[in-house]
Amino acid sequence: MSCACASDPKNQIKLVDIIKHTNEIYSFNFTSPEIDQWHEGDSSKLFLKVGNQEIGKKFSYASLPSESKIRFTTRIKTKRSEYKDYMSRLAVGDVLEITAPSGNFKLLRHNRPLFMLSNGVGIAAIRSLVKAYSNDGYGIPELVQLNVDADGNIYKDEFEAMNFNLSTFVSLYTLNRKSFYQTMDSELQRLLMKYVDTPYIYVVGSDNFVEDVIIYLKEMGILDEDIITDGHRHNGGSCGCSEHEGCGCGSNLIKTFASL
């Protein structure tokens, strides 16, 4: 079944570079004559011709317009779907189509700290938020990002350089869930003691990760309104991706967690 967003207006992008972060994680850099503006946390559907079908999956922008490139970071496993197999065979110069950028996963500048939790390539969406914050920290006294990934520390070197140059930014990585929760507890307690207001907590990653983290945060007394997720909604409805296949960027939030 083709994507529910297949009828949306499309824009052309051209592949100009491929970055291999690990054996499974890649970034694809594109330019576009039609898209030159988007916001941190936005995403688009990337359409590929798989067999005789056109399939679109949603990817978060890992870059900002000021970088003059559209970057999508994703995991491509040895055992992969036809869609990801097609991605693995993309070459510099290929021209593809995407929907216009959209989304509500934005920086909140309400003079409260931000705590960003992600797993795996969910860090792609976090990168654009961190870059926007490093460019303009107005209304955000401190930003902490914490990622868990057993296979590699995506963007770790870049974030460490920001950590060194920006005293109000903290970047942390863990290799397993146990260490992740221990670090999250420690940082959350530090932020709660340092600031009058509870931090806004951003959560992005696989379905299981997001669900587990939200349950954990609620058990700690964190309110719904202080938890920010990229629900991958499209014009008020589902993005159209199947729960089995998931979305492309690692933020496979097909479910709604309001009832947890």
Side-chain angles (χ1 to χ4, degrees):
M1 181 177 179
S2 62
C3 174
C5 300
S7 61
D8 284 2
K10 298 173 186 174
N11 304 271
Q12 285 194 341
I13 56 174
K14 183 178 180 179
L15 183 59
V16 295
D17 188 31
I18 301 173
I19 300 171
K20 183 177 182 179
H21 297 281
T22 71
N23 287 334
E24 292 188 345
I25 299 168
Y26 298 80
S27 284
F28 296 84
N29 291 330
F30 299 89
T31 58
S32 174
E34 300 169 318
I35 295 178
D36 60 4
Q37 290 298 319
W38 61 91
H39 299 284
E40 78 278 0
D42 277 353
S43 57
S44 287
K45 286 266 187 173
L46 173 65
F47 292 93
L48 300 177
K49 192 77 172 181
V50 180
N52 60 357
Q53 293 182 324
E54 186 178 58
I55 297 177
K57 290 188 180 295
K58 188 161 283 191
F59 289 82
S60 293
Y61 285 72
S63 56
L64 294 178
S66 59
E67 298 177 273
S68 300
K69 61 190 173 189
I70 294 171
R71 174 178 289 184
F72 298 137
T73 301
T74 191
R75 189 185 302 273
I76 301 178
K77 299 180 179 180
T78 303
K79 293 183 179 180
R80 53 194 177 228
S81 66
E82 289 183 282
Y83 183 94
K84 286 296 184 72
D85 188 60
Y86 190 106
M87 284 197 76
S88 73
R89 292 183 279 109
L90 289 176
V92 170
D94 285 348
V95 176
L96 306 173
E97 291 184 322
I98 62 174
T99 55
S102 63
N104 297 306
F105 199 56
K106 304 289 191 293
L107 291 177
L108 295 176
R109 300 178 182 272
H110 298 166
N111 294 310
R112 293 168 59 174
L114 307 183
F115 193 12
M116 301 191 172
L117 309 173
S118 65
N119 81 316
V121 292
I123 195 77
I126 299 300
R127 181 186 184 270
S128 68
L129 297 170
V130 169
K131 291 289 288 184
Y133 171 70
S134 68
N135 292 340
D136 179 10
Y138 174 79
I140 305 171
E142 185 172 350
L143 189 151
V144 179
Q145 86 78 24
L146 172 60
N147 177 263
V148 54
D149 186 3
D151 297 325
N153 299 318
I154 316 166
Y155 294 123
K156 183 177 182 180
D157 291 344
E158 181 180 4
F159 284 178
E160 282 185 346
M162 290 185 195
N163 203 154
F164 180 79
N165 294 313
L166 189 59
S167 62
T168 56
F169 172 61
V170 177
S171 179
L172 301 165
Y173 287 82
T174 63
L175 297 177
N176 56 65
R177 292 288 182 93
K178 180 180 180 181
S179 178
F180 169 82
Y181 281 108
Q182 290 173 340
T183 305
M184 181 177 71
D185 282 347
S186 175
E187 282 299 302
L188 185 55
Q189 292 303 318
R190 181 182 69 81
L191 292 172
L192 290 171
M193 291 179 65
K194 184 175 181 180
Y195 299 97
V196 174
D197 295 315
T198 300
Y200 286 118
I201 303 177
Y202 290 65
V203 188
V204 59
S206 65
D207 284 348
N208 289 338
F209 173 81
V210 173
E211 185 172 0
D212 288 348
V213 169
I214 290 177
I215 291 172
Y216 189 88
L217 290 172
K218 289 187 176 182
E219 289 177 346
M220 293 181 67
I222 303 299
L223 302 178
D224 284 333
E225 54 263 35
D226 295 329
I227 302 173
I228 315 300
T229 65
D230 178 4
H232 274 191
R233 312 303 290 177
H234 179 78
N235 294 334
S238 169
C239 72
C241 292
S242 70
E243 186 171 342
H244 174 68
E245 286 292 335
C247 289
C249 75
S251 328
N252 304 334
L253 308 186
I254 307 302
K255 303 173 185 176
T256 299
F257 298 101
S259 62
L260 291 177

